[in-house]
Amino acid sequence: MSDTRQFAFGVVVIGGGPAGIAAAIAAAESGARVALLDDNPRPGGQIWRGGPGAVHRADAGSWFERLERSAVTKIYGARVFSAGDGFVEAESDEAVLRVNYRSLVLATGARERFLPFPGWTLPNVMGAGGLQALVKSGLPIEGKRVIVAGTGPLLLAVGAYMKEHGAKVLCICEQTTWTKFMGFGLRMTLLPGKIREALQLKVQIRGIPYRTNCWPVSATGSDRLESVRISDGGEIREIECDYLACGFHLVPNLELPRLIGCRVEGDFVQVDEMQRTSVANVYCAGEPTGIGGLDLSLAEGRIAGHAAAGNEDAARKLGPRRASYRKVVPLMAEAFRLRSELKRLARADTLVCRCEDVPFERMKNFDSWRAAKLQTRCGMGPCQGRVCGPATEFLFGWRVDSARPPVFAVKCSSLAEMAVGAGESRQ
């Protein structure tokens, strides 16, 4: 049986991305005893992956320095898999951690949405952010032919990153229309600092063909990816490549908020002006409250951290800054709304649930996620529906809204420790 270690803090922050870092620092500055938990070995999340030693935009370094200097207790390599009233449970390589809190801040971030098309399970077909993460972790990409596809601003950042590291980026395929994309870009330049960011990105992707009304139709190869067929303005073209980095925008990680009982409307956790959720003493910040980018995540994280520590005056002063960046949320949702043609990419034998090998043909006969799950085991594999769940929401209009512990796959010994802890809490 695993070792169990118990801790107690005034404020516990789940998630070491920008929102979580900002929340932890703010809570500590407001006098709370704070713990920051993240399942990665270093802080930063997806956007600042690699931690302090990696190359990021200028202000990332200052946030890492502030975190390092702060009194925050950093617990890395610990994945939170269960939570209850006043505690969370996490699994590390050495032990099961039971962490008690007075206030909890959920900064669980978001993940890419994947949509099934023929060949999407081939080796070297992966998420746009996924390929970027692998390259940041040391995957050699120099000289490799890469296609970046899907939708959302992440495609531009990934294309720029691949080019910077020596890849031959053949094209960026954006499914939205040119009109929507340009409208989004023009509105974004009205926000503080965005004109400079836009100009920098334009320079970084110079020379990379950028196509709107364009998306992957299929990927082919024997034992790995060899070529991709794309629909480019209605014309089908086949391009030989080594990697296809494909992600259809982001979906928030809502497993923990749902498990705790936070109210979720649409796709996001509902919060008030202090980032409070519907559950007492539980706050939420960053992408789970609305996909709005880095600056919004930082602002929400600071507000949530101050408020969780009881310093609502400091939190309230940040309200105007948050309000300016919240304008991004509806702009992004409209600009990168998925087009209906993407629902017709999957063939009868195209796998939708890769963990359990469930094809499109079997899943389309059901009227709900629960029915499909009971009959086909979709969503019951290692990813627990994190890939096929958002895909079926788009393809079939299903709602995937259930959550129960453990929200991640864990060792049997960790489950035993969770049962022991539950028994002790009832005594």
Side-chain angles (χ1 to χ4, degrees), residues 4-19:
T4 299
R5 303 174 188 175
Q6 299 204 31
F7 306 88
F9 295 89
V11 176
V12 171
V13 180
I14 308 299

Side-chain angles (χ1 to χ4, degrees), residues 183-194:
F184 172 77
L186 289 172
R187 289 179 174 86
M188 286 293 290
T189 59
L190 299 177
L191 297 176
K194 293 302 180 181

Side-chain angles (χ1 to χ4, degrees), residues 82-98:
S82 180
D85 185 13
F87 74 91
V88 297
E89 291 175 312
E91 181 184 75
S92 70
D93 289 340
E94 298 82 23
V96 172
L97 312 178
R98 186 179 175 90

Side-chain angles (χ1 to χ4, degrees), residues 51-287:
V55 177
H56 306 290
R57 55 180 261 181
D59 61 350
S62 67
W63 282 102
F64 284 127
E65 290 172 8
R66 290 175 64 185
L67 178 64
E68 192 59 34
R69 292 196 308 265
S70 74
V72 174
T73 299
K74 300 95 175 171
I75 305 176
Y76 302 131
R79 172 171 283 186
V80 175
F81 64 88
S82 180
D85 185 13
F87 74 91
V88 297
E89 291 175 312
E91 181 184 75
S92 70
D93 289 340
E94 298 82 23
V96 172
L97 312 178
R98 186 179 175 90
V99 186
N100 296 311
Y101 63 82
R102 286 199 300 271
S103 295
L104 178 68
V105 179
L106 299 171
T108 50
R111 60 186 182 271
E112 290 181 90
R113 184 195 303 270
F114 302 100
L115 296 180
F117 53 84
W120 78 297
T121 58
L122 278 171
N124 291 355
V125 178
M126 60 190 72
L131 180 58
Q132 185 181 38
L134 287 174
V135 174
K136 287 182 178 181
S137 301
L139 177 72
I141 200 68
E142 186 173 359
K144 300 296 185 181
R145 301 164 299 173
V146 177
I147 295 175
V148 182
T151 198
L154 178 63
L155 304 187
L156 297 170
V158 171
Y161 190 86
M162 295 300 119
K163 179 186 175 185
E164 179 186 353
H165 286 75
K168 298 178 180 177
V169 184
L170 304 179
C171 61
I172 298 175
C173 304
E174 166 59 64
Q175 62 91 40
T176 198
T177 65
W178 178 252
T179 301
K180 284 187 176 182
F181 177 78
M182 286 302 297
F184 172 77
L186 289 172
R187 289 179 174 86
M188 286 293 290
T189 59
L190 299 177
L191 297 176
K194 293 302 180 181
I195 291 180
R196 184 182 62 184
E197 287 183 24
L199 292 174
Q200 289 175 341
L201 191 57
K202 184 177 180 179
V203 171
Q204 291 170 344
I205 66 170
R206 185 170 53 197
I208 301 176
Y210 184 84
R211 298 188 171 94
T212 55
N213 286 305
C214 187
W215 59 88
V217 173
S218 64
T220 58
S222 51
D223 57 350
R224 60 180 177 81
L225 177 68
E226 296 173 3
S227 66
V228 176
R229 295 175 70 236
I230 63 171
S231 175
D232 185 1
E235 178 184 351
I236 302 298
R237 301 172 52 226
E238 185 161 356
I239 306 173
E240 294 183 353
C241 63
D242 300 301
Y243 288 95
L244 170 60
C246 185
F248 291 90
H249 206 25
L250 303 173
V251 291
N253 294 320
L254 299 179
E255 291 81 11
L256 276 175
R258 281 180 169 143
L259 180 65
I260 292 170
C262 302
R263 183 170 63 248
V264 176
E265 292 183 8
D267 296 322
F268 303 112
V269 177
Q270 298 302 296
V271 294
D272 65 10
E273 71 280 359
M274 291 290 119
Q275 300 297 135
R276 278 185 295 248
T277 71
S278 60
V279 178
N281 302 318
V282 177
Y283 300 76
C284 192
E287 310 289 30

